């Protein structure tokens, strides 16, 4: 009997563990899945708890890290056994094991205890270390050939043929394991024995190659064989051999001819190792099929010049040239900690129309960034040209005036061997329409596929609501944001610019993070900014500073601090603050010493860029009533940044004197600012633009008792003067929507968001935009500066969609969505919202519907997080959660103004409010 009870007990307790349905997934190291070649010595580990159980909280974790899979399987954690650590952290858990050396591989798994039972060990994940010291690259030669060849041009339109590089290698033993460490500048394709390595395109991510260079690492065990193998690479120009040279050389930075450095580390079955390194025995030809490649101008591919099997054994390379040992680019080699670009999506064109002069116009139906794959038949030597544009002129031809001197043309020269399928390798275009010429027949829609190319970052947000205009704006934002991720956030993907302007992302990066998992991209960008800092502390307008602009503004440069704050707020990333704090401080001090006069910041470069101008044709307003004084913008913004610096100093426990300085300085600025700009009769700032009033209001500079009055000036300007329209530019729009809601006029924010008349985001939609324009008047303004795919005018619109409309916001006290603030504005004007956001802990859902006298709100809160939920009533009895009374579901219920506020732990809830 006793035995039977014991057995039942054992069985029961076993099933509690096995069937409690709590599992671990999404194991990540430095926010990447099984990354190879990282050079972070103490990488951070994260996992997600997956369960249908409610109110699940992690109480402890146990991480095992081993040097081999087998060891890990036997729980032999020779690198790190964390033991049971009683803490709720499940993201950003630092590795604290043995110091890892170059190329070491670490296999890891984790189990956790929760208040609802413990999990099994997770699946195994891994990371591998990169090459950790400069010395280890020294014997690997940088190879290239610093010379133009036939057809190459160096000048305003700088074009080279792609360099095809090959090296036969002989491996005498069976291969057990092999990895390649590769720097291929500007862009590369890598092959072993004819097989393309990896699915990345346009790799690696661009940097200022004189400061840092990203190497990529691949496991190539399966591509190598015992005996003769061939490594092949194609080198393209990218940003290394700049698109414009000997043309505005004071501005445009170029880095020289394409070059590369490679290490192939092979471990044989017998345990011995061999490292193959690039040197002058590698051979190359400039006479392959890619005749020209230039990001602005396009690619020319001559299929007649293809080199069959050039990247396999047995190819005769006797007439190829030897690479030369060339100077290294100068930048420090770093493991790439953000994904490369990939073909992330495809677009099937909507229509094809013949024009009067025998060309065809292909309409993709969507402004996109990437390229076109074509299928074509014809004679050897036939030339097909594809020219790309965002829109058409009235006569149906391409509108290319807004592309400036970008030639945006891909050319394919047929080899004449039946059906030929082609897509370019080293360029991308921003386009909706393609003009096709050179066809001897009418091509069919099926002959074309649009390839959407951007950084391999997961889409983490969805949004839908009862207003179709707002839904289309969301779609436009989605397409605009992804189109402008190019290993760095660029301004636009089509004209001769494509630069990573800081000011476009000051707040934009935050809104974008609700739609794309952009953590690693922006962490990399902060490094780009850091590397572009001058010795005395200045930061450029564009980073990497491919364009050498050091305008010393605040609103653009402030992106450095604002984006770091975003990474902390949205992802709980403290490292970015630790790593960048000294450089941010240096910039803050630099600006103070250079430009602070009478406690006001005097330097500004772009003003409230792109306000709706006085006439529909112009780009830059000259109307003093529309523009906001640069000193107002800079001083307010600098004040705001000082508050963030204070926050950072506290987070990282910086010197107390730092905090004291930020406090003292910001007080002085606030006083001077209010003295100079606050009109105490009209309660408006400066010339009473919305921007002049909204900045001090959003930044907490306005004396408390005057806030409401200042706010009323904003309301008056929008409602009465502009009849419900926006009047802000890139700076003001970053704080507008949230401020309207925070000060109780969510309805006015909704009016702006759903407007379809000029100027508004909806006006862009009404006029056929499928992305976001650079200018409010993009359909009528001068083409000189008029991109149809810019994201800067989004301001804080996407943040407002998520935080204020869907009610998905990370608390500032417990960042990274450890605690979620769920406070939608149910009364803004919408009848339903359905949004999801996948944060580091799992998926947050918010789906509310307002019916007659009833509000139904379905929410999901991921395991190991909790939410503070706000409901628009003070009457507890009106609320049912999962059909139960509120008091039975949450203990901590408070009244805050007209709201009830209570805490919910993880789970799925259906809330009904009568
Ligand atoms: C860019 C903008 C940028 C601005 C700064 C423009 O040419 O496209 O995105 O922020 O210049 O002046």
């Amino acid at each position: 009997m006793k035995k039977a009870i014991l057995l039942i007990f054992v069985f029961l307790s076993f099933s509690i563990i096995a069937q409690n349905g709590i599992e671990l997934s999404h194991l990540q190291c430095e926010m990447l899945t099984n990354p190879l070649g990282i050079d972070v010595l103490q990488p951070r580990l994260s996992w997600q708890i997956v369960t249908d159980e409610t109110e699940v909280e992690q109480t402890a974790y146990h991480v095992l890290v081993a040097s081999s899979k087998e060891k890990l399987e036997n729980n032999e954690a020779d690198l790190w056994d964390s033991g049971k650590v009683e803490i709720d952290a499940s993201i950003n858990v630092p590795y604290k094991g043995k110091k890892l050396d170059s190329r070491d591989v670490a296999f890891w798994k984790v189990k956790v205890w929760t208040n609802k039972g413990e999990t099994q060990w997770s699946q195994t994940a891994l990371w591998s270390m990169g090459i950790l010291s400069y010395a280890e690259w020294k014997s690997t030669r940088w190879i290239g050939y610093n010379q133009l060849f036939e057809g190459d041009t160096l000048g305003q339109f700088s074009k080279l043929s792609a360099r095809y590089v090959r090296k036969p290698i002989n491996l005498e033993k069976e291969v057990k394991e092999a990895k390649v460490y590769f720097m291929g500048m500007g862009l590369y394709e890598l092959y072993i024995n004819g097989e393309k390595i990896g699915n990345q395109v346009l790799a690696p991510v661009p940097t200022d190659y004189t400061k840092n260079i990203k190497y990529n690492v691949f496991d190539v065990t399966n591509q190598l064989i015992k005996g003769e193998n061939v490594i092949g690479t194609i080198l393209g120009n990218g940003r290394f051999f700049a698109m414009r040279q000997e043309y505005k050389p004071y501005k445009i930075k170029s880095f020289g001819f394409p070059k590369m450095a490679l290490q192939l580390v092979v471990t044989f079955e017998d345990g011995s190792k061999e490292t193959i390194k690039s040197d002058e025995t590698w051979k190359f030809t400039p006479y392959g099929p890619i005749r020209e490649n230039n990001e602005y101008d396009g690619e020319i591919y001559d299929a007649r010049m293809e080199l069959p099997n050039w990247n396999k054994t047995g190819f005769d390379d006797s007439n190829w040239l030897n690479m030369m040992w060339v100077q290294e680019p100068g930048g420090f080699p770093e493991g790439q900690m953000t994904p490369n670009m990939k073909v992330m999506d495809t677009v099937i064109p909507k229509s094809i129309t013949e024009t009067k002069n025998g060309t065809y116009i292909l309409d993709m139906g969507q402004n996109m960034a990437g390229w076109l794959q074509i299928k074509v038949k014809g004679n050897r030597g036939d030339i097909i040209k594809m020219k790309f544009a965002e829109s058409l002129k009235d006569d149906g031809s391409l509108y290319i005036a807004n592309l400036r001197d970008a030639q945006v043309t891909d050319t394919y020269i047929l080899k004449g061997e039946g059906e030929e399928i082609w897509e370019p390798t080293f360029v991308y275009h921003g386009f909706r329409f393609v003009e096709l010429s050179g066809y001897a027949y009418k091509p069919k829609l099926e002959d074309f596929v649009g390839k959407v190319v951007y950084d391999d970052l997961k889409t983490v947000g969805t949004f839908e609501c009862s207003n179709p205009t707002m839904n289309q704006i969301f779609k436009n934002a989605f397409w605009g944001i992804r189109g402008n991720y190019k290993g760095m956030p660029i301004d636009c993907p089509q004209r001769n610019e494509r630069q990573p302007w800081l000011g476009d992302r000051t707040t934009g990066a935050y809104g974008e993070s609700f739609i794309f998992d952009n953590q690693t991209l922006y962490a990399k960008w902060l490094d780009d900014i850091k590397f572009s800092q001058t010795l005395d502390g200045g930061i450029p307008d564009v980073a990497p500073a491919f364009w050498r602009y050091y305008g010393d503004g605040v609103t653009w440069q402030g992106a450095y601090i604002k984006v770091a704050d975003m990474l902390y707020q949205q992802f709980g990333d403290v490292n970015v603050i630790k790593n960048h704090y000294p450089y941010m401080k240096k910039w803050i001090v630099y600006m103070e010493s250079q430009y602070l006069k009478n406690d006001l910041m005097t330097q500004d470069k772009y003003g409230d860029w792109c306000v709706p101008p006085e006439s529909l044709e112009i780009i830059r307003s000259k109307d003093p009533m529309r523009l906001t004084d640069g000193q107002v913008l800079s001083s307010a913004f600098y004040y705001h940044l000082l508050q963030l610096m204070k926050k950072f100093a506290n987070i990282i426990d910086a010197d107390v004197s730092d905090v004291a300085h930020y406090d003292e300085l910001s007080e002085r600025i606030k006083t001077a600012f209010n003295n100079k700009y606050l009109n105490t009769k009209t309660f408006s700032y400066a010339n009473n633009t919305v921007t002049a009033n909204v900045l001090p209001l959003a930044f907490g500079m306005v004396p408390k008792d005057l806030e409401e009055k200042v706010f009323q000036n904003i309301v008056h300007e929008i409602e009465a003067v502009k009849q419900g329209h926006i009047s802000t530019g890139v700076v003001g729009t970053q704080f507008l929507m949230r401020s309207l809601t925070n000060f109780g006029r969510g309805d006015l924010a909704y009016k702006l968001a759903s407007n379809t008349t000029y100027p508004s985001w909806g006006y862009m939609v009404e006029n056929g935009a499928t992305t976001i324009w650079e200018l409010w008047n993009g359909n009528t303004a001068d083409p000189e500066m008029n991109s149809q795919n810019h994201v800067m005018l989004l301001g804080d619109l996407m943040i407002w969609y998520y935080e204020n409309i869907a009610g998905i916001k990370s608390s500032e006290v417990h960042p990274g969505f450890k605690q979620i603030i769920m406070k939608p504005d149910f009364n803004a004007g919408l009848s339903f919202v359905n949004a999801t956001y996948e944060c580091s802990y799992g998926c947050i859902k918010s789906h509310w519907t307002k019916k007659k006298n009833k509000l139904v709100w379905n929410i999901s809160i991921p395991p190991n997080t909790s939410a503070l939920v706000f409901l628009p009533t003070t009457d507890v009895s009106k609320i049912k959660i999962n059909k139960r009374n509120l008091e039975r579901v949450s203990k901590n219920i408070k009244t805050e103004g007209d709201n009830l506020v209570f805490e919910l732990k993880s789970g799925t809830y259906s809330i009904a409010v009568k």
Side-chain angles (χ1 to χ4, degrees):
M1 180 66 188
K2 258 193 188 161
K3 239 187 182 173
I5 292 175
L6 191 72
L7 262 179
I8 289 171
F9 179 72
V10 167
F11 174 77
L12 272 181
S13 53
F14 173 76
S15 54
I16 284 170
I17 297 174
Q19 292 176 11
N20 66 14
I22 306 179
E23 285 170 16
L24 297 173
S25 76
H26 284 81
L27 268 66
Q28 291 202 314
C29 170
E30 284 297 314
M31 300 53 176
L32 300 165
T33 306
N34 298 328
L36 297 184
I38 74 169
D39 51 14
V40 180
L41 294 178
Q42 213 188 34
R44 293 161 292 175
L45 308 176
S46 305
W47 51 87
Q48 283 183 10
I49 299 170
V50 183
T51 178
D52 289 334
E53 284 277 328
T54 51
E55 310 202 330
V56 175
E57 281 166 8
Q58 180 183 304
T59 53
Y61 69 72
H62 189 171
V63 173
L64 296 182
V65 187
S67 59
S68 77
K69 233 183 178 157
E70 295 71 37
K71 282 188 179 150
L72 191 70
E73 265 158 30
N74 297 327
N75 293 346
E76 222 182 287
D78 58 339
L79 297 176
W80 188 38
D81 183 340
S82 73
K84 184 174 175 181
V85 183
E86 300 203 350
I87 193 169
D88 64 353
S90 56
I91 64 169
N92 300 326
V93 172
Y95 167 77
K96 288 190 182 147
K98 279 203 188 118
K99 184 174 169 294
L100 296 170
D101 288 327
S102 292
R103 306 184 193 86
D104 280 353
V105 186
F107 296 86
W108 70 285
K109 61 184 178 183
V110 55
K111 70 176 284 181
V112 308
W113 288 260
T114 74
N115 55 339
K116 298 283 170 94
E118 64 192 88
T119 68
Q120 311 276 20
W121 286 106
S122 68
Q123 304 271 18
T124 298
L126 65 82
W127 79 86
S128 82
M129 300 305 285
I131 295 177
L132 300 177
S133 70
Y134 176 69
E136 289 171 276
W137 280 106
K138 271 205 295 201
S139 55
T140 306
R141 291 189 172 165
W142 276 95
I143 53 174
Y145 208 91
N146 296 339
Q147 186 188 301
L148 298 171
F149 289 89
E150 199 189 319
D152 293 347
T153 47
L154 182 67
Q156 181 174 349
F157 304 93
S158 295
K159 291 163 189 176
L160 300 181
S161 63
R163 282 26 179 169
Y164 291 73
V165 187
R166 77 188 295 276
K167 171 69 185 173
I169 53 166
N170 198 40
L171 300 174
E172 273 161 14
K173 294 177 268 189
E174 292 294 340
V175 175
K176 182 171 174 227
E177 206 261 302
K179 285 203 185 76
V180 64
Y181 301 77
F182 185 40
M183 294 184 274
M185 303 289 117
L187 303 173
Y188 73 81
E189 292 276 290
L190 177 64
Y191 303 86
I192 290 184
N193 298 329
E195 189 181 323
K196 177 172 158 136
I197 304 302
N199 59 0
Q200 72 288 345
V201 299
L202 303 174
V205 291
T207 54
D208 179 336
Y209 309 102
T210 60
K211 305 286 174 62
N212 65 330
I213 296 187
K214 300 294 184 184
Y215 58 84
N216 290 166
V217 181
F218 301 97
D219 187 322
V220 292
T221 312
N222 294 333
Q223 281 78 20
L224 290 169
I225 52 165
K226 179 178 170 192
E228 172 125 317
N229 295 271
V230 169
I231 305 173
T233 85
I234 314 177
L235 297 179
N237 299 1
R239 298 288 170 111
F240 199 83
F241 185 79
M243 296 83 87
R244 298 287 177 267
Q245 297 180 40
E246 299 188 349
Y247 165 80
K248 300 191 180 174
Y250 52 86
K251 165 169 121 174
I252 300 171
K253 189 161 179 174
S254 190
F255 303 86
F257 287 88
K259 51 181 75 168
M260 58 167 275
L262 178 145
Q263 283 189 17
L264 171 65
V265 183
V266 186
T267 309
F268 296 103
E269 285 291 357
D270 66 4
S272 62
K273 282 190 188 233
E274 185 178 344
T275 303
I276 289 123
K277 300 173 178 175
S278 48
D279 63 25
E280 311 93 295
T281 63
W282 292 49
K283 297 185 98 178
F284 86 103
T285 180
Y287 300 115
I290 300 181
R291 303 308 311 142
E292 279 183 6
N293 66 102
N294 176 308
E295 201 183 304
Y296 294 157
D297 301 323
E299 188 160 304
I300 298 181
Y301 187 94
D302 188 342
R304 296 169 304 180
M305 295 180 75
E306 281 174 357
L307 306 159
N309 299 323
W310 68 275
N311 47 16
K312 294 186 181 158
T313 55
F315 178 85
D316 176 11
D317 63 14
S318 54
N319 62 353
W320 285 29
L321 294 160
N322 277 74
M323 287 290 249
M324 282 167 63
W325 182 10
V326 294
Q327 196 171 90
E328 59 184 329
F332 194 82
E334 294 181 335
Q336 184 175 313
M337 302 300 294
T338 185
N340 278 310
M341 279 179 251
K342 250 175 55 182
V343 173
M344 297 292 285
D345 201 353
T346 52
V347 174
I348 304 302
K350 295 275 173 300
S351 68
I352 187 162
T353 321
E354 190 165 358
T355 68
K356 274 185 252 131
N357 43 13
T359 63
Y360 297 89
I361 299 286
L362 192 66
D363 179 3
M364 306 307 290
Q366 171 65 51
N367 196 351
M368 55 173 278
W371 56 66
L372 189 69
Q373 178 195 283
I374 59 167
K375 192 160 73 185
V376 60
K377 260 186 180 169
N379 297 322
R380 189 173 175 81
D382 282 357
I383 300 174
I384 299 293
K385 281 189 189 275
M386 291 142 262
K387 196 171 178 89
F388 299 86
E390 295 180 292
S391 55
L392 300 178
K393 293 197 279 202
D394 289 344
D395 67 1
S397 63
L398 296 185
Y399 173 74
I400 49 168
N402 69 334
L403 308 180
R404 301 185 184 148
D405 77 1
Q407 294 171 338
V408 293
T409 306
D410 287 348
T411 304
Y412 180 75
I413 305 173
L414 279 76
K415 55 190 166 196
E417 293 169 9
E419 192 173 273
E420 299 176 35
I421 295 179
W422 178 79
E423 60 194 287
T425 309
F426 293 129
V427 297
Y428 66 86
H429 307 282
F431 67 103
R432 170 172 168 176
F433 298 95
V434 193
E435 183 192 61
L436 305 159
S437 57
Y439 279 88
Y441 57 94
K442 178 171 181 177
K444 296 199 233 39
L445 277 183
E446 306 89 85
D447 297 344
F448 305 97
V449 184
K451 302 272 178 101
V452 181
V453 174
Y454 63 99
D455 302 46
D456 186 7
L457 303 173
K458 190 171 169 193
T459 302
V460 288
T462 61
F463 183 95
E464 205 202 343
C465 70
S466 52
N467 183 280
T469 300
M470 278 178 62
N471 292 339
Q472 186 60 43
I473 294 168
F474 182 81
K475 264 198 199 143
N476 290 10
F478 169 79
W479 276 94
I481 295 162
R482 62 178 182 163
N484 282 302
Y485 283 166
K486 292 286 171 287
M488 56 187 174
I490 55 165
D491 59 343
C492 54
Q494 74 297 77
R495 68 178 177 221
N496 63 355
E497 187 152 357
R498 311 182 189 196
Q499 297 297 330
W501 286 92
L502 270 64
D504 298 30
R505 295 313 206 290
T506 309
T507 295
Y510 183 0
E512 293 164 13
S513 74
F514 282 107
I515 310 178
F516 295 97
D517 181 5
N518 61 14
Q519 181 178 6
T520 57
L521 172 69
Y522 277 105
K524 178 257 177 192
W525 199 43
L526 292 186
D527 287 339
D528 292 337
I529 298 173
K530 177 187 84 180
F531 280 118
S532 64
Q533 187 167 37
T534 58
L535 275 182
D536 56 0
I539 290 175
D541 309 3
V542 170
F546 297 123
W547 283 9
R548 315 290 299 168
Y549 286 141
Y550 283 80
D552 280 349
V554 178
T555 51
W556 258 242
Q557 282 59 15
Y560 191 26
I561 290 168
K562 289 286 284 176
V563 171
D565 187 46
M566 177 286 271
L567 292 173
Y568 175 71
Q569 168 81 6
Q570 299 294 87
F571 302 99
D573 191 344
V574 180
N575 279 21
V576 288
I577 296 182
K578 274 195 202 133
N579 296 342
H580 291 279
Y581 182 82
Y583 307 95
M584 294 170 176
K585 183 176 157 190
K586 191 171 177 181
W587 176 72
I588 283 282
V589 170
Y590 166 80
M591 291 303 289
E592 182 188 348
S593 68
Q594 296 286 320
Y595 301 110
L596 197 78
K597 307 246 156 68
N598 301 323
D599 295 338
L600 291 171
M601 193 45 78
T602 54
Q603 176 72 0
D604 175 67
K605 193 163 171 201
Y606 301 111
D608 191 13
W609 193 241
C610 299
V611 293
E614 47 279 25
S615 114
L616 285 178
E617 291 74 38
I618 63 172
I619 296 169
R620 291 183 192 88
S621 171
K622 296 214 167 57
D623 177 1
M625 289 317 293
R626 289 166 199 263
L627 299 172
T628 306
D629 180 10
Q631 188 166 294
V632 171
L633 304 175
S634 287
S635 302
F637 222 95
Y638 189 72
Y639 173 88
H640 175 53
L641 297 176
L642 288 173
Q643 306 303 306
L644 292 177
M645 287 303 285
K646 179 180 164 181
K647 170 177 162 184
F648 295 170
N650 286 325
I651 291 168
I652 63 164
D653 261 332
D655 202 307
V656 279
S657 64
D658 284 11
V659 174
H661 180 63
Y662 302 140
D663 268 340
E664 185 264 336
L665 183 57
S666 50
E667 256 332 284
R668 265 168 38 208
I669 293 174
K670 183 159 83 180
T671 307
F673 188 81
N674 285 332
N675 284 345
K676 178 149 188 194
Y677 297 114
L678 175 60
N679 182 329
T680 47
K681 293 204 182 72
T682 56
F683 307 109
S684 61
Y685 280 86
N687 57 343
N688 196 19
T689 57
V690 169
T691 298
N693 291 323
V694 86
L695 297 189
L697 198 63
F699 301 157
M701 299 172 86
V702 182
K704 273 275 164 273
D705 55 326
L706 300 184
E707 280 187 341
E708 188 51 39
K709 291 181 170 151
V710 171
F711 182 65
Q712 283 315 318
N713 275 311
I714 297 175
V715 170
H716 177 79
E717 180 71 13
I718 298 174
E719 274 188 327
V721 182
K722 304 284 187 220
Q723 266 112 53
H725 290 96
I726 202 159
S727 57
T728 47
V730 170
V731 179
T733 310
Q734 294 174 36
F735 304 94
L736 180 64
M737 300 299 283
R738 287 171 294 172
S739 298
L740 287 173
T741 296
N742 291 344
F743 282 89
R745 290 302 305 272
D747 62 316
L748 200 51
Y750 170 65
K751 168 90 180 117
L752 296 182
S754 57
N755 244 349
T756 53
T757 48
Y758 177 78
S760 65
W761 298 285
Y763 173 78
M764 301 178 191
V765 170
E766 283 295 296
N767 285 281
T770 54
T771 40
I772 306 292
W773 294 343
E774 179 172 23
L775 303 171
W776 295 113
N777 52 334
N779 58 329
T780 50
D782 193 281
E784 177 51 30
M785 194 195 87
N786 193 350
S787 122
Q788 291 163 20
N789 190 1
H790 250 66
V791 289
M792 63 189 183
L793 282 185
L794 280 171
D796 67 351
L797 184 68
M798 290 300 113
I799 308 174
W800 180 80
Y801 268 41
Y802 277 89
E803 295 189 345
N804 300 102
I805 293 301
I808 300 177
K809 174 178 162 65
S810 174
S811 100
E812 281 171 31
V813 191
H814 305 285
F817 292 89
K818 179 75 176 139
Q819 187 187 40
I820 308 153
I821 308 293
M822 305 196 80
K823 190 184 179 185
D825 184 346
F826 298 106
N827 296 319
L830 292 161
S831 61
F832 85 85
V833 170
N834 188 3
T836 64
Y837 170 60
E838 201 169 313
C839 73
S840 307
Y841 295 92
C843 194
I844 304 169
K845 293 185 188 160
S846 169
H847 181 188
W848 57 261
T849 314
K850 266 171 79 171
K851 297 189 180 139
K852 248 195 207 157
N853 306 326
K854 195 175 171 189
L855 170 72
V856 178
W857 189 14
N858 295 320
I859 62 179
S860 286
I861 303 163
N864 208 26
T865 69
S866 66
L868 272 190
V869 178
F870 289 68
L871 291 180
T873 176
T874 47
D875 185 351
V876 179
S877 71
K878 286 190 169 166
I879 299 170
K880 285 268 187 292
I881 298 192
N882 292 343
K883 302 205 168 115
R884 295 160 70 197
N885 289 340
L886 173 60
E887 293 99 323
R888 301 198 48 199
V889 185
S890 178
K891 299 273 160 307
N892 234 331
I893 308 167
K894 284 192 205 125
T895 311
E896 222 185 89
D898 299 335
N899 287 309
L900 278 177
V901 189
F902 53 89
E903 190 190 54
L904 289 180
K905 298 277 163 63
S906 76
T908 299
Y909 301 91
S910 183
I911 304 175
V913 186
K914 262 198 242 140

